PDB file of all heavy atoms in Angstrom:
ATOM      1  N   VAL A  11     -27.868 -24.177-109.300  1.00  0.00           N
ATOM      2  CA  VAL A  11     -28.989 -24.797-108.500  1.00  0.00           C
ATOM      3  C   VAL A  11     -28.504 -25.407-107.297  1.00  0.00           C
ATOM      4  O   VAL A  11     -27.447 -26.129-107.312  1.00  0.00           O
ATOM      5  CB  VAL A  11     -29.631 -25.979-109.419  1.00  0.00           C
ATOM      6  CG1 VAL A  11     -30.689 -26.679-108.709  1.00  0.00           C
ATOM      7  CG2 VAL A  11     -30.242 -25.372-110.638  1.00  0.00           C
ATOM      8  N   THR A  13     -30.060 -27.299-103.584  1.00  0.00           N
ATOM      9  CA  THR A  13     -31.135 -27.762-102.785  1.00  0.00           C
ATOM     10  C   THR A  13     -30.834 -27.251-101.203  1.00  0.00           C
ATOM     11  O   THR A  13     -31.782 -26.878-100.576  1.00  0.00           O
ATOM     12  CB  THR A  13     -31.184 -29.192-102.794  1.00  0.00           C
ATOM     13  OG1 THR A  13     -31.210 -29.619-104.155  1.00  0.00           O
ATOM     14  CG2 THR A  13     -32.453 -29.757-102.074  1.00  0.00           C
ATOM     15  N   VAL A  42     -21.023 -14.944-108.413  1.00  0.00           N
ATOM     16  CA  VAL A  42     -22.539 -15.281-108.360  1.00  0.00           C
ATOM     17  C   VAL A  42     -23.249 -14.058-107.729  1.00  0.00           C
ATOM     18  O   VAL A  42     -22.778 -13.606-106.735  1.00  0.00           O
ATOM     19  CB  VAL A  42     -22.892 -16.568-107.659  1.00  0.00           C
ATOM     20  CG1 VAL A  42     -24.300 -16.780-107.396  1.00  0.00           C
ATOM     21  CG2 VAL A  42     -22.261 -17.684-108.420  1.00  0.00           C
ATOM     22  N   ARG A  64     -27.301  -5.629-100.489  1.00  0.00           N
ATOM     23  CA  ARG A  64     -28.448  -5.982 -99.705  1.00  0.00           C
ATOM     24  C   ARG A  64     -29.503  -4.930 -99.706  1.00  0.00           C
ATOM     25  O   ARG A  64     -30.553  -4.914 -98.889  1.00  0.00           O
ATOM     26  CB  ARG A  64     -28.088  -6.368 -98.343  1.00  0.00           C
ATOM     27  CG  ARG A  64     -27.069  -7.450 -98.139  1.00  0.00           C
ATOM     28  CD  ARG A  64     -27.042  -8.108 -96.771  1.00  0.00           C
ATOM     29  NE  ARG A  64     -26.861  -7.129 -95.784  1.00  0.00           N
ATOM     30  CZ  ARG A  64     -25.614  -6.800 -95.374  1.00  0.00           C
ATOM     31  NH1 ARG A  64     -24.476  -7.367 -95.912  1.00  0.00           N
ATOM     32  NH2 ARG A  64     -25.482  -5.923 -94.417  1.00  0.00           N
ATOM     33  N   VAL A  74     -26.252 -12.458 -98.702  1.00  0.00           N
ATOM     34  CA  VAL A  74     -25.818 -12.283-100.195  1.00  0.00           C
ATOM     35  C   VAL A  74     -25.032 -11.048-100.273  1.00  0.00           C
ATOM     36  O   VAL A  74     -25.327 -10.047 -99.612  1.00  0.00           O
ATOM     37  CB  VAL A  74     -27.032 -12.321-101.173  1.00  0.00           C
ATOM     38  CG1 VAL A  74     -27.793 -13.500-101.182  1.00  0.00           C
ATOM     39  CG2 VAL A  74     -27.919 -11.117-100.907  1.00  0.00           C
ATOM     40  N   ASP A  75     -23.992 -11.099-101.169  1.00  0.00           N
ATOM     41  CA  ASP A  75     -23.143 -10.044-101.230  1.00  0.00           C
ATOM     42  C   ASP A  75     -22.909  -9.389-102.694  1.00  0.00           C
ATOM     43  O   ASP A  75     -21.935  -8.687-102.883  1.00  0.00           O
ATOM     44  CB  ASP A  75     -21.686 -10.355-100.641  1.00  0.00           C
ATOM     45  CG  ASP A  75     -21.047 -11.462-101.470  1.00  0.00           C
ATOM     46  OD1 ASP A  75     -21.549 -11.711-102.494  1.00  0.00           O
ATOM     47  OD2 ASP A  75     -19.972 -11.972-101.013  1.00  0.00           O
TER      48      ASP A  75
ATOM     49  N   MET B   1     -21.173 -13.508-104.420  1.00  0.00           N
ATOM     50  CA  MET B   1     -20.710 -14.713-103.866  1.00  0.00           C
ATOM     51  C   MET B   1     -19.633 -15.332-104.759  1.00  0.00           C
ATOM     52  O   MET B   1     -19.743 -15.114-105.915  1.00  0.00           O
ATOM     53  CB  MET B   1     -22.020 -15.661-103.775  1.00  0.00           C
ATOM     54  CG  MET B   1     -22.849 -15.452-102.591  1.00  0.00           C
ATOM     55  SD  MET B   1     -23.860 -13.878-102.685  1.00  0.00           S
ATOM     56  CE  MET B   1     -24.931 -14.189-104.048  1.00  0.00           C
ATOM     57  N   HIS B  59     -19.587 -12.831 -98.380  1.00  0.00           N
ATOM     58  CA  HIS B  59     -18.392 -12.203 -97.756  1.00  0.00           C
ATOM     59  C   HIS B  59     -18.804 -10.849 -97.110  1.00  0.00           C
ATOM     60  O   HIS B  59     -19.787 -10.253 -97.357  1.00  0.00           O
ATOM     61  CB  HIS B  59     -17.271 -11.966 -98.675  1.00  0.00           C
ATOM     62  CG  HIS B  59     -16.759 -13.292 -99.250  1.00  0.00           C
ATOM     63  ND1 HIS B  59     -15.654 -13.911 -98.835  1.00  0.00           N
ATOM     64  CD2 HIS B  59     -17.372 -14.154-100.130  1.00  0.00           C
ATOM     65  CE1 HIS B  59     -15.565 -15.153 -99.451  1.00  0.00           C
ATOM     66  NE2 HIS B  59     -16.469 -15.289-100.198  1.00  0.00           N
ATOM     67  N   SER B  62     -22.193  -9.294 -95.247  1.00  0.00           N
ATOM     68  CA  SER B  62     -23.196 -10.303 -95.774  1.00  0.00           C
ATOM     69  C   SER B  62     -22.976 -11.585 -95.073  1.00  0.00           C
ATOM     70  O   SER B  62     -23.930 -12.363 -94.875  1.00  0.00           O
ATOM     71  CB  SER B  62     -23.116 -10.277 -97.212  1.00  0.00           C
ATOM     72  OG  SER B  62     -23.469  -9.013 -97.758  1.00  0.00           O
ATOM     73  N   VAL B  81     -25.033 -24.957-100.844  1.00  0.00           N
ATOM     74  CA  VAL B  81     -24.201 -26.206-101.454  1.00  0.00           C
ATOM     75  C   VAL B  81     -24.653 -26.404-102.888  1.00  0.00           C
ATOM     76  O   VAL B  81     -25.894 -26.430-103.086  1.00  0.00           O
ATOM     77  CB  VAL B  81     -24.414 -27.453-100.585  1.00  0.00           C
ATOM     78  CG1 VAL B  81     -23.629 -28.637-101.220  1.00  0.00           C
ATOM     79  CG2 VAL B  81     -23.972 -27.247 -99.217  1.00  0.00           C
ATOM     80  N   ASP B  83     -25.671 -27.922-106.358  1.00  0.00           N
ATOM     81  CA  ASP B  83     -26.108 -29.269-106.968  1.00  0.00           C
ATOM     82  C   ASP B  83     -25.529 -29.206-108.353  1.00  0.00           C
ATOM     83  O   ASP B  83     -24.803 -30.205-108.722  1.00  0.00           O
ATOM     84  CB  ASP B  83     -27.595 -29.385-107.062  1.00  0.00           C
ATOM     85  CG  ASP B  83     -28.291 -29.441-105.709  1.00  0.00           C
ATOM     86  OD1 ASP B  83     -27.551 -29.922-104.878  1.00  0.00           O
ATOM     87  OD2 ASP B  83     -29.436 -29.132-105.543  1.00  0.00           O
ATOM     88  N   THR B  86     -24.576 -24.458-114.689  1.00  0.00           N
ATOM     89  CA  THR B  86     -24.869 -24.422-116.060  1.00  0.00           C
ATOM     90  C   THR B  86     -24.398 -23.173-116.612  1.00  0.00           C
ATOM     91  O   THR B  86     -24.790 -22.010-116.193  1.00  0.00           O
ATOM     92  CB  THR B  86     -26.411 -24.575-116.478  1.00  0.00           C
ATOM     93  OG1 THR B  86     -26.852 -25.759-115.770  1.00  0.00           O
ATOM     94  CG2 THR B  86     -26.657 -24.781-117.995  1.00  0.00           C
TER      95      THR B  86
END
Side-chain angles (χ1 to χ4, degrees):
Chain A
V11 175
T13 311
V42 171
R64 301 199 307 273
V74 297
D75 62 9
Chain B
M1 279 70 66
H59 297 259
S62 299
V81 179
D83 292 337
T86 305

